[in-house]
DNA sequence: TCTAAAGTATACTAGATGGGTAAACAATAG
DNA sequence: CTATTGTTTACCCATCTAGTATACTTTAGA
């Protein structure tokens, strides 16, 4: 039921970038030190944020990362799903094949969990990174 | 971010018991067959529901399980926490010691996750097993 | 054009968790 | 007493977690 460590680090990395002057490129080393994230691990996580369109990167001397959108347009859900894939409270909610009852006609547990999951996603979507800036 | 298989089975087992005539003892074998749960695994999960006061058991000939409370008094949260322990979106929300920043003064990620977690728990508590009966 | 400084890709690993099985035990109805 | 039912403990293997290592690519600037 918990987000993993990589996601926790990703949220902190995005928040750190959101706090920098707009357009300023920050290198991995700095994020790593400020947010206390093992640099190798951080460097492995960043590409998933890039693929999701949350950050942009620049290579070579003077390279680093910048947000690809305004902080207000990046939700917690965006970051969580970028790192972990789709939020699913139960494997069945991704594919009935995972269910030992094969989603037997209207499994009511399934329906209730789908409801809770929708609320959870809405909550995660309700938090964006603008809310943390001054 | 997902509940585990044991919890899924537990929810189905409790639902099955909730649908039986009040006070009727159902043996593990029957729950296992009807809900398509490996019996050995089910037998291992049930004690956690007993410790949580959700079901009662009877040993020996004619033994089995019964709900220990009315279905309306058992929430999804009760079952989830009985099997998995406290719901926590992030390890830091259980203990700051897990945080690489040691919960550095008012980590805002922490605060936002705590908010989402509270909403999630409320949603899980909002579903009980009476809603599925007739 | 060379080089040092950045990020990228891929592979590896120790330990924990997940999902289950097995075996020996304890209680109880008849 | 015995067959039937749940309990406890131990074990197992595959996958995931969190992280490290190595080799590579890109690029600014001397």
């Amino acid at each position: 039921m918990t987000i993993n460590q990589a996601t926790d680090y990703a949220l902190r990395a995005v928040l750190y970038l959101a706090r920098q002057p707009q357009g300023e490129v920050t290198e991995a080393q700095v994020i790593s030190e400020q947010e206390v994230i093992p640099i190798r691990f951080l460097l492995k996580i960043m590409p998933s944020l890039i693929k999701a369109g949350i950050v942009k990167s620049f290579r070579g001397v003077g390279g680093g990362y910048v947000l690809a959108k305004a902080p207000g347009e990046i939700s917690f859900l965006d970051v969580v799903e970028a790192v972990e894939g789709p939020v699913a409270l139960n494997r069945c909610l991704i594919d009935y094949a995972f269910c030992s009852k094969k989603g037997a006609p209207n499994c009511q547990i399934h329906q209730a969990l789908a409801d809770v999951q929708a609320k959870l996603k809405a909550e995660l979507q309700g938090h964006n990174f603008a809310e943390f800036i001054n």
Side-chain angles (χ1 to χ4, degrees), chain A:
Chain A
M1 196 67 101
T2 83
I3 61 173
N4 60 30
Q5 193 60 27
T7 303
D8 183 89
Y9 289 156
L11 289 167
R12 276 149 58 180
V14 170
L15 176 55
Y16 186 87
L17 291 175
R19 285 191 174 130
Q20 304 316 302
Q22 208 211 318
E24 184 159 316
V25 174
T26 306
E27 60 192 81
Q29 186 65 45
V30 172
I31 301 173
S32 162
E33 282 165 10
Q34 296 299 309
E35 295 297 326
V36 194
I37 302 171
I39 181 139
R40 300 267 182 197
F41 199 28
L42 176 64
L43 285 166
K44 190 167 70 169
I45 295 165
M46 295 309 286
S48 49
L49 294 177
I50 294 169
K51 287 187 192 97
I54 294 168
V55 308
K56 284 186 297 191
S57 69
F58 298 93
R59 287 156 79 138
V61 177
Y65 303 96
V66 207
L67 288 192
K69 313 181 196 179
E73 289 173 352
I74 304 171
S75 72
F76 270 46
L77 184 63
D78 295 332
V79 175
V80 169
E81 297 204 318
V83 179
E84 304 194 352
V87 166
L89 270 193
N90 189 328
R91 300 183 304 179
C92 304
L93 293 174
I94 292 187
D95 189 342
Y96 280 127
F98 283 115
C99 181
S100 70
K101 288 182 81 175
K102 303 301 169 213
N106 355 330
C107 166
Q108 295 180 301
I109 298 296
H110 173 103
Q111 289 170 19
L113 287 176
D115 173 46
V116 173
Q117 175 178 302
K119 302 278 177 49
L120 171 60
K121 288 180 70 167
E123 277 302 319
L124 285 170
Q125 204 150 29
H127 286 274
N128 67 60
F129 290 84
E131 74 182 85
F132 302 123
I133 304 176
N134 293 344

